[in-house]
Amino acid sequence: MPSNKSVSDAPIVQFTNCRILRDHRLQREDLWVREGKILNPEKLFFDEKGSADVQLDCKDSIIAPGFIDVQINGGFGVDFSLATDDFKLGIDLVSQKILSHGVTSFCPTLVTSPPSVYHQVLPQISVRNGGAHGAGILGAHLEGPFISKEKKGAHPEHCLRTFEAGAFQDLLAIYGTLDCVQIVTLAPEMRRSSEVIQELTKRGICVSLGHSVANLSQAEEAVQHGATFITHLFNAMLPFHHRDPGIVGLLTSDKIPAGRRVFYGMISDGIHTNPAALRIAHRAHPKGLVLVTDAMAGMGLAPGRHTLGQQVVEIDGLNTYIAGTKTLSGSVATMDTCVRHFQEATGCSVETALEAASLHPAQLLGIEHRKGTLKYDSDADFLMLNESLYVQATYIAGEEVWRQDVSGM
């Protein structure tokens, strides 16, 4: 049947023989796409009297929304915290390479750096749609330098900053611009952090709590002022204590403002978080869990010495340390690996594992009306996966941008 061209001349593609993740469950339905958007077939049939121009047999694949990585420091030899002459080529390389791991949108992340790095790098990061060239860029994640010296982790101590009398102006002076910034990680126990959180939130920037020695009441106050995220839960914060659970206590706090959800990032690589801790967090607050890779330049490369901003790091298998120490420093895990490990470690459903890398990060950033979902009229950014959650193909705006080489399957 020819499609009705009165509404649009764009071809309609019907993906058949698949299970679609929609409304929190896998449903045996077809997926319809036109002009980069998910199409409602009922409207097509009854309002437009149309049908598909192209039918694609998905061979019983799972179709899920594309993964969104809100904390990735680099990969494939590229470090987002280094101000190089070819920075744009580097970000293009990473955005292209992560397509094979199911990532269709991401937030390039800068660790604590000197002001000169922010001033050189941030103007070179621009929010853009994904496509054959690579995953879309949602804006930068600035992790530091307004963090705790005690919980600095792999961040260079000489670059750490506190808020002085200027507070928000101090932050602006360090970063130089907030035009492309999506997330800022800071330590909420710092003096004047509340006014900074309010100012950032006013500008639509997500504030995340991390690299911190905050107690629970300080963390709750930060949330009351607008913070909505926790950077890599359990890592670089006070350990859970039954009399003062610290930032971890936000997962079950009764002081969260009505209608607000606190999200938390987890590095599900089997290294940064013990599977038991992953299970505790997931069972305590399943709808807030956001999988992040925290991947750095060494992701996708051989073991050895690489960089993370101002630091030299060593990779040994999946372990990454500041050179000469046992301090963990980012990961080399890919997002699809994190999804599979999360599902295996927690025993959660396939739907839950996939939503932790798609729907939840989209909700965190307030873009769930167009990303992280396969609802009608949302962006047609999606993956085909097999039963074991290995990515077979990646689509952005309805176009295939990566496919597993059949010979390599």
Side-chain angles (χ1 to χ4, degrees), residues 13-17 54-59 384 395 403:
V13 182
Q14 177 187 6
F15 295 82
T16 67
N17 190 17
V54 180
Q55 282 190 329
L56 290 176
D57 183 349
C58 300
K59 303 189 168 110
M384 288 186 194
Y395 286 76
R403 177 168 287 276

Side-chain angles (χ1 to χ4, degrees), residues 142-180:
L142 304 182
E143 187 187 359
F146 302 98
I147 58 173
S148 159
K149 188 166 73 173
E150 292 84 356
K151 291 294 178 184
K152 66 183 186 297
H155 293 236
E157 188 171 328
H158 71 277
C159 294
L160 300 183
R161 295 287 186 273
T162 55
F163 298 121
E164 303 304 330
F168 187 68
Q169 293 307 315
D170 297 343
L171 177 142
L172 274 180
I174 295 287
Y175 294 150
T177 179
L178 291 172
D179 288 351
C180 65

Side-chain angles (χ1 to χ4, degrees), residues 263-297:
F263 293 89
Y264 59 96
M266 297 216 72
I267 310 167
S268 172
D269 62 354
I271 303 293
H272 282 77
T273 313
N274 185 282
L278 202 52
R279 288 191 286 273
I280 287 169
H282 176 245
R283 290 174 191 176
H285 185 26
K287 290 185 175 173
L289 194 148
V290 173
L291 292 177
V292 299
T293 61
D294 199 19
M296 55 182 197

Side-chain angles (χ1 to χ4, degrees), residues 12-22 26-33 37-42 44-45 51-52 54-64 374-376 382 384:
I12 296 165
V13 182
Q14 177 187 6
F15 295 82
T16 67
N17 190 17
C18 52
R19 285 171 297 149
I20 303 173
L21 177 56
R22 185 179 280 150
L26 288 172
Q27 307 184 36
R28 191 159 283 285
E29 292 177 14
D30 292 350
L31 185 75
W32 299 73
V33 174
K37 300 286 185 182
I38 308 289
L39 200 56
N40 182 343
E42 285 195 12
L44 174 67
F45 300 150
S51 63
V54 180
Q55 282 190 329
L56 290 176
D57 183 349
C58 300
K59 303 189 168 110
D60 211 30
S61 295
I62 292 169
I63 291 188
L374 296 180
K375 289 187 174 173
Y376 303 137
F382 58 89
M384 288 186 194

Side-chain angles (χ1 to χ4, degrees), residues 329-383:
S329 57
S331 89
V332 288
T334 58
M335 184 58 89
D336 54 328
T337 303
C338 291
V339 170
R340 290 190 295 271
H341 176 74
F342 171 59
Q343 205 239 337
E344 185 183 342
T346 62
C348 70
S349 67
V350 164
E351 292 94 331
T352 297
L354 293 168
E355 287 189 342
S358 55
L359 177 63
H360 295 178
Q363 290 171 329
L364 164 71
L365 299 178
I367 57 172
E368 70 273 22
H369 58 290
R370 58 189 179 91
K371 303 280 186 193
T373 174
L374 296 180
K375 289 187 174 173
Y376 303 137
D377 299 322
S378 62
D379 293 351
D381 297 356
F382 58 89
L383 313 174

Side-chain angles (χ1 to χ4, degrees), residues 53-220:
D53 298 287
V54 180
Q55 282 190 329
L56 290 176
D57 183 349
C58 300
K59 303 189 168 110
D60 211 30
S61 295
I62 292 169
I63 291 188
F67 298 149
I68 299 170
D69 194 350
V70 300
Q71 187 175 7
I72 172 171
N73 311 291
F76 315 100
V78 176
D79 187 336
F80 297 147
S81 301
L82 289 182
T84 57
D85 292 338
D86 57 355
F87 180 85
K88 285 192 172 178
L89 289 175
I91 208 165
D92 288 348
L93 175 72
V94 174
S95 66
Q96 216 283 319
K97 291 271 195 182
I98 57 180
L99 294 175
S100 65
H101 301 293
V103 177
T104 54
S105 301
F106 71 109
C107 294
T109 303
L110 279 72
V111 296
T112 295
S113 303
S116 59
V117 169
Y118 297 115
H119 292 190
Q120 289 175 69
V121 168
L122 289 181
Q124 298 187 73
I125 297 176
S126 51
V127 174
R128 69 184 188 203
N129 293 327
H133 59 275
I137 297 174
L138 299 171
H141 177 170
L142 304 182
E143 187 187 359
F146 302 98
I147 58 173
S148 159
K149 188 166 73 173
E150 292 84 356
K151 291 294 178 184
K152 66 183 186 297
H155 293 236
E157 188 171 328
H158 71 277
C159 294
L160 300 183
R161 295 287 186 273
T162 55
F163 298 121
E164 303 304 330
F168 187 68
Q169 293 307 315
D170 297 343
L171 177 142
L172 274 180
I174 295 287
Y175 294 150
T177 179
L178 291 172
D179 288 351
C180 65
V181 176
Q182 181 72 254
I183 304 172
V184 171
T185 293
L186 53 77
E189 71 274 15
M190 283 190 166
R191 282 177 62 252
R192 313 187 79 95
S193 65
S194 291
E195 57 190 272
V196 171
I197 291 169
Q198 288 173 303
E199 286 293 336
L200 288 169
T201 304
K202 247 191 257 178
R203 288 163 170 75
I205 294 171
C206 166
V207 175
S208 189
L209 311 180
H211 288 277
S212 162
V213 292
N215 59 35
L216 179 56
S217 65
Q218 289 168 326
E220 287 170 335

